[in-house]
């Protein structure tokens, strides 16, 4: 399937990351705390044809996109897959939660999916990322640090601990803690109940124009893999579909798609970020540096290039030669990977012959 893999190690070692689907590393120590869209291929052309743009995708729209962003904690345990609503997110952050388990922060502004989940518990660094988009933050449960932030009003939020069985519903086909879901209708109902303002759109990101889209720099690569702890269970494999001009995502050998519609997650920008992680307790919770900036990799239109990342007003953004790099209009996925020596996580690119 692959031609030639070039592997770039985040810990400074040259490693080759295999694509074997036989690695089923056990998932342990998960913290049980208190608790293809239509016209996707025409998105780029619509940027110029329509009078407005969605701020987080750069995709054109006929009316002003002034709704507030909503950020939802989404479970990525194998028992929670496939998830609901990921294919509608403008931006998804993927970071380690406990042990080798990653969790998603899905940010919605351009679309409001009917159902989102399974919803999982809050962590302080996910809250910080949600705050960067002035989002309404949705989670079910919290770590001690996250609970302090939420209790002190750091961010507007709705939590399943308070609304379990009302705004948040338990699915019968999955077992707790992998079965908490929320609808966008209930998100808006909860926001109204709490008197949260929902008409303040986040500031717009920087997007490439038509000429820039035709001249994207970088090395050709048809696939890329991000491997957490050399395990397929929580890896991310991105394959570029030249016909769609978008990336499809796979993990543990399975296509990332919506549970109900079976529509795949289709991505236009992949940003892989290296930063310091520290384990802070026996449960394996982490402190993650999301402010210092550092090395990153940007994938767009079947090409990859090494860039820098910076935290700009709470958002993790790519930077080239000191300037913010433009994004391809569409959806963005951001993998955050540890840079601590001794951890085995690798970024690999399938280089075209």
């Amino acid at each position: 399937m692959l031609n030639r893999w070039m592997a770039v190690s985040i810990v400074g070692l040259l490693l080759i990351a295999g694509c074997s689907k036989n690695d089923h590393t056990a998932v342990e120590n998960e913290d049980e705390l208190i608790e293809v869209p239509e016209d996707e291929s025409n998105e780029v052309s619509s940027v110029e044809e329509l009078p407005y743009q969605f701020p987080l995708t750069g995709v054109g729209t006929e009316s002003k996109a002034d709704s507030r962003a909503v950020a939802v904690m989404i479970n990525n345990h194998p028992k929670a897959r496939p998830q609901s609503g990921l294919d509608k997110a403008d931006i998804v952050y993927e970071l380690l939660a406990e042990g080798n388990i990653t969790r998603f922060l899905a940010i919605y502004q351009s679309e409001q999916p009917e159902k989102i989940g399974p919803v999982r518990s809050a962590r302080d660094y996910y809250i910080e990322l949600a705050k960067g988009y002035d989002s309404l933050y949705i989670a079910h449960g919290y770590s001690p640090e996250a609970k302090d932030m939420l209790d002190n009003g750091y961010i507007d939020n709705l939590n399943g601990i308070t609304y379990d069985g009302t705004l948040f519903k338990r699915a019968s086909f999955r077992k707790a803690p992998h079965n908490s879901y929320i609808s966008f209708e209930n998100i808006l109902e909860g926001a109204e109940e709490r008197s949260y303002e929902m008409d303040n759109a986040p500031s717009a990101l920087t997007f490439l124009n038509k000429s820039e889209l035709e001249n994207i720099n970088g090395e050709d690569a048809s696939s890329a893999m991000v491997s957490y702890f050399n395990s397929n269970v929580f890896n991310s494999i991105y394959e570029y579909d030249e016909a769609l001009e978008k990336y499809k995502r796979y993990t543990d050998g399975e296509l990332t798609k919506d549970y109900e519609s079976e529509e795949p997650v289709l991505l236009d920008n992949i940003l892989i970020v290296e930063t310091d992680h520290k384990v802070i307790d026996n449960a394996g919770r982490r402190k993650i540096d999301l402010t210092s900036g550092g090395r990153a990799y940007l994938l767009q239109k079947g090409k990859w290039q090494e860039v820098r990342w910076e935290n700009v007003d709470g958002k993790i953004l790519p930077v080239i030669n000191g300037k913010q790099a433009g994004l391809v209009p569409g959806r963005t996925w951001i993998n955050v990977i540890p840079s601590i020596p001794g951890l085995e996580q690798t970024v690999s690119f399938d280089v075209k012959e």
Side-chain angles (χ1 to χ4, degrees):
M1 179 179 73
L2 303 180
N3 295 323
R4 180 166 59 90
W5 283 89
M6 183 172 70
V8 184
S9 171
I10 294 301
V11 297
L13 301 175
L14 187 63
L15 300 172
I16 299 299
C19 287
S20 170
K21 297 179 177 58
N22 296 320
D23 182 358
H24 297 289
T25 304
V27 179
E28 298 178 350
N29 300 323
E30 182 174 13
D31 179 359
E32 307 299 344
L33 299 172
I34 304 174
E35 292 278 55
V36 178
E38 290 184 16
D39 300 325
E40 190 84 30
S41 62
N42 295 325
E43 286 182 346
V44 172
S45 61
S46 70
V47 172
E48 296 180 349
E49 294 170 359
L50 297 173
Y52 300 98
Q53 293 181 16
F54 290 108
L56 303 184
T57 66
V59 173
T61 175
E62 293 182 350
S63 58
K64 189 174 182 181
D66 57 3
S67 62
R68 185 179 191 177
V70 173
V72 185
M73 291 294 304
I74 297 185
N75 194 337
N76 188 36
H77 191 282
K79 293 180 180 179
R81 301 171 187 163
Q83 296 90 348
S84 297
L86 272 181
D87 62 315
K88 304 296 185 185
D90 295 348
I91 300 170
V92 176
Y93 285 91
E94 181 174 3
L95 302 90
L96 286 162
E98 285 77 51
N100 64 346
I101 299 169
T102 66
R103 196 167 291 176
F104 304 142
L105 179 73
I107 300 175
Y108 300 89
Q109 200 275 334
S110 67
E111 295 196 59
Q112 299 182 348
E114 181 177 346
K115 183 178 182 181
I116 306 174
V119 183
R120 222 29 197 103
S121 56
R123 299 291 179 271
D124 54 333
Y125 43 90
Y126 291 97
I127 294 174
E128 293 286 0
L129 290 171
K131 182 76 169 181
Y133 299 86
D134 190 28
S135 306
L136 171 59
Y137 181 67
I138 311 296
H140 193 142
Y142 28 64
S143 66
E145 295 82 6
K147 184 177 187 300
D148 287 343
M149 296 172 75
L150 299 178
D151 287 349
N152 290 326
Y154 181 78
I155 192 171
D156 291 348
N157 74 96
L158 301 172
N159 199 285
I161 294 296
T162 302
Y163 294 105
D164 198 357
T166 54
L167 298 180
F168 293 73
K169 305 293 185 181
R170 295 285 184 172
S172 60
F173 60 90
R174 285 180 174 153
K175 295 182 179 180
H178 313 299
N179 65 345
S180 177
Y181 291 81
I182 192 166
S183 66
F184 224 95
E185 179 181 358
N186 282 0
I187 290 173
L188 296 178
E189 178 182 326
E192 183 176 2
E193 178 184 321
R194 300 289 291 269
S195 298
Y196 293 147
E197 175 60 51
M198 295 300 291
D199 292 327
N200 47 339
S203 58
L205 301 180
T206 301
F207 294 94
L208 300 171
N209 59 36
K210 184 177 180 180
S211 174
E212 291 168 332
L213 287 169
E214 295 172 350
N215 294 282
I216 290 177
N217 293 322
E219 301 291 330
D220 289 340
S222 58
S223 300
M225 179 170 69
V226 178
S227 177
Y228 290 89
F229 299 97
N230 256 355
S231 168
N232 284 355
V233 178
F234 290 98
N235 66 12
S236 297
I237 295 178
Y238 303 102
E239 293 191 355
Y240 185 64
D241 187 313
E242 292 189 2
L244 295 174
E245 297 188 68
K246 295 178 184 294
Y247 294 90
K248 294 177 180 177
R249 181 185 183 275
Y250 298 80
T251 191
D252 199 17
E254 297 292 331
L255 178 68
T256 304
K257 61 183 180 180
D258 185 73
Y259 179 84
E260 282 78 21
S261 70
E262 297 191 350
E263 292 285 350
V265 169
L266 296 176
L267 303 166
D268 299 273
N269 306 279
I270 314 294
L271 180 62
I272 304 165
V273 168
E274 170 192 356
T275 190
D276 289 339
H277 290 51
K278 293 181 180 178
V279 176
I280 60 174
D281 61 22
N282 292 333
R285 299 190 192 97
R286 290 178 167 82
K287 180 179 178 62
I288 300 179
D289 178 5
L290 296 176
T291 60
S292 297
R295 184 167 59 179
Y297 305 93
L298 180 62
L299 286 73
Q300 298 172 312
K301 297 291 185 182
K303 296 179 181 290
W304 74 273
Q305 58 181 317
E306 184 172 332
V307 298
R308 304 288 294 176
W309 70 268
E310 291 184 3
N311 186 310
V312 181
D313 298 325
K315 304 176 184 70
I316 304 301
L317 299 175
V319 172
I320 299 175
N321 296 326
K323 293 181 59 178
Q324 287 186 36
L327 300 175
V328 174
R331 306 184 196 280
T332 300
W333 194 287
I334 302 172
N335 281 92
V336 178
I337 297 181
S339 58
I340 300 174
L343 290 181
E344 296 181 349
Q345 61 282 321
T346 307
V347 181
S348 310
F349 301 97
D350 178 19
V351 181
K352 295 178 180 178
E353 296 287 359

